[in-house]
Amino acid sequence: RDFFEKIVRMNYEDFIKTVTNQMGDDPWFFFSIAINEYKIFAEFGRTNISLIVSIIKDILRRNRKLLLELKTLLEGDLRISDIGEFFRVLYDYIRKLKNEIVDYCNRERIELKLLETNDLAKQDHYLTQLLYVSLSTIKHQNLLDKILNQS
């Protein structure tokens, strides 16, 4: 309970009430990410997430503004009191970062192996979900301070 009050800034019951309508099929989607990532690893010897983390690190080394925005976002220094507003800010950041990643991949001729479909909406949605996981990886591996010290 202390975790929710400290990190999410609301008690557990209020948190559950707030996000219940937003959860939907997300657990199943994350399960499908794991299955696809295992397949990509078996075929190419790396995961999309590891490649995306590497690309993000390179982008952040070159773009200090994007780096500082992410640091503020992940460290909770946004002064946002509403969880819905936090998710809107996070989504806007993900959208900017996704555009940077696509430009980077085009410029460096890097091919991301996403889904085996030509449906661009599904590819875009999947890439967005991979970015959430990648940013979580960056946060939990404490990579932001390392990047800040290198730039």
Side-chain angles (χ1 to χ4, degrees), residues 7-147:
I7 303 299
V8 183
R9 295 189 182 118
M10 64 177 68
N11 67 37
Y12 178 75
E13 290 80 14
D14 290 341
F15 176 76
I16 293 301
K17 287 176 192 173
T18 302
V19 299
T20 297
N21 294 332
Q22 299 173 11
M23 293 294 278
D25 293 328
D26 290 346
W28 292 109
F29 192 79
F30 285 108
F31 180 68
S32 69
I33 286 174
I35 291 171
N36 195 54
E37 288 294 280
Y38 286 128
K39 179 180 168 251
I40 295 296
F41 182 78
E43 197 170 329
F44 300 102
R46 58 133 178 97
T47 62
N48 283 314
I49 293 169
S50 64
L51 178 59
I52 290 170
V53 167
S54 174
I55 291 169
I56 291 171
K57 286 168 44 180
D58 201 31
I59 288 170
L60 295 178
R61 281 187 200 103
R62 298 173 187 201
N63 188 330
R64 189 158 182 86
K65 182 180 181 229
L66 214 53
L67 172 63
L68 295 175
E69 280 182 57
L70 181 59
K71 186 168 176 57
T72 300
L73 186 65
L74 294 182
E75 292 181 357
D77 294 336
L78 290 173
R79 312 280 189 262
I80 293 175
S81 59
D82 176 71
I83 196 163
E85 178 66 17
F86 171 77
F87 284 119
R88 280 188 289 283
V89 170
L90 177 61
Y91 179 77
D92 287 344
Y93 184 85
I94 291 284
R95 199 175 52 216
K96 277 192 277 187
L97 187 58
K98 185 169 40 177
N99 289 335
E100 291 286 332
I101 288 170
V102 169
D103 289 346
Y104 182 95
C105 288
N106 286 333
R107 188 174 54 253
E108 301 294 325
R109 298 184 178 176
I110 296 172
E111 186 177 357
L112 288 174
K113 303 288 186 185
L114 300 175
L115 299 173
E116 293 179 2
T117 180
N118 291 328
D119 186 328
L120 293 178
K122 288 180 182 177
Q123 296 281 16
D124 182 68
H125 184 68
Y126 188 71
L127 179 56
T128 300
Q129 297 300 323
L130 289 176
L131 289 179
Y132 284 117
V133 175
S134 298
L135 291 180
S136 177
T137 301
I138 287 171
K139 178 177 175 61
H140 293 289
Q141 290 181 355
N142 297 314
L143 296 176
L144 281 180
D145 289 330
K146 292 175 187 172
I147 297 168

